[in-house]
Amino acid sequence: MSEVKAAIRDDLKTAMKAKDTLVTGTLRMLLSAIQAEETSGTAHALTDEEFLKVVAREVKKRGEAAEIFTENGRDELAAKERAEADVMARYLPQQLGDDELNALVDDAVAQVKDELGDDPTVRNMGQVMKIATAKAAGAADGKRLSAAVKARLA
C-alpha cells in the first residue's frame, strides 16, 4: 500500500473518531475511486503518478459540479462540493504559482525548439504540452497549463 493511501486511511480513522461527516464521506469516496482504479483492467497497485491522476480527476469532478450547482442557484450544494474538493486537494502536490508555471512553459518551449531547430508555433502545441505536463507532474491544472502554453506560442 502506498504511503499516501495509508495516510488517507489514517485521516479517515481520525475523521471518524472526530465524527466529522464531511471529511469521512469525502475520504471514503476518494478511497472508493482509488480502489476502482486499482481493480479496473488488470488488478495492480497504483503508482504515485496514477494516484495523483485519480485525486486530480476527483477534485476536478467536484469543481465542475460546484459550477453547475452555482449556475442553477443551488449555492448550498455548490459549497458542499467545494468543501469536498478542498479535502481531496490535501493529497495533491502544491500547485504552481503563475511565475513558476510560466518558467515551466518556457523550459518546455525551449526543449521543443532544440528538437525542431526553430521556434515552435501553435501547430507544435501538442509536443510542448507533452513535455510541460510531464514536468508539472500534477502541480498544475491541465486547463491552466494549456492556456499558458497557448499564450506563449501565440
Side-chain angles (χ1 to χ4, degrees):
M1 180 175 3
S2 73
E3 293 176 27
V4 182
K5 189 173 177 183
I8 292 172
R9 288 187 188 276
D10 289 342
D11 291 349
L12 176 61
K13 288 177 191 173
T14 304
M16 289 170 70
K17 288 177 183 176
K19 297 191 187 322
D20 188 342
T21 57
L22 173 72
V23 175
T24 300
T26 303
L27 293 181
R28 282 182 174 159
M29 284 187 280
L30 184 57
L31 284 171
S32 175
I34 291 167
Q35 185 167 352
E37 189 70 24
E38 287 175 336
T39 58
S40 67
T42 58
H44 66 286
L46 295 181
T47 63
D48 289 340
E49 183 178 304
E50 291 171 325
F51 173 80
L52 290 176
K53 285 181 183 178
V54 171
V55 176
R57 182 178 63 225
E58 292 299 313
V59 169
K60 183 178 178 182
K61 281 182 190 177
R62 300 307 180 285
E64 291 171 351
E67 286 178 25
I68 292 169
F69 284 136
T70 301
E71 290 172 8
N72 292 311
R74 300 295 306 265
D75 294 329
E76 70 284 354
L77 293 175
K80 182 177 184 277
E81 293 290 333
R82 285 189 190 97
E84 288 176 358
D86 290 343
V87 170
M88 290 180 186
R90 296 179 198 167
Y91 304 100
L92 290 175
Q94 181 69 30
Q95 295 295 298
L96 296 175
D98 290 337
D99 294 337
E100 295 167 315
L101 183 66
N102 290 332
L104 185 136
V105 169
D106 289 341
D107 289 345
V109 168
Q111 192 172 341
V112 171
K113 182 178 179 179
D114 289 343
E115 291 173 10
L116 296 175
D118 195 15
D119 285 335
T121 63
V122 176
R123 295 178 112 174
N124 306 106
M125 186 170 169
Q127 292 172 297
V128 176
M129 280 298 295
K130 183 177 180 181
I131 294 168
T133 303
K135 287 184 177 191
D141 180 57
K143 219 182 257 188
R144 227 176 116 219
L145 186 60
S146 176
V149 168
K150 196 176 287 185
R152 173 70 169 79
L153 295 177

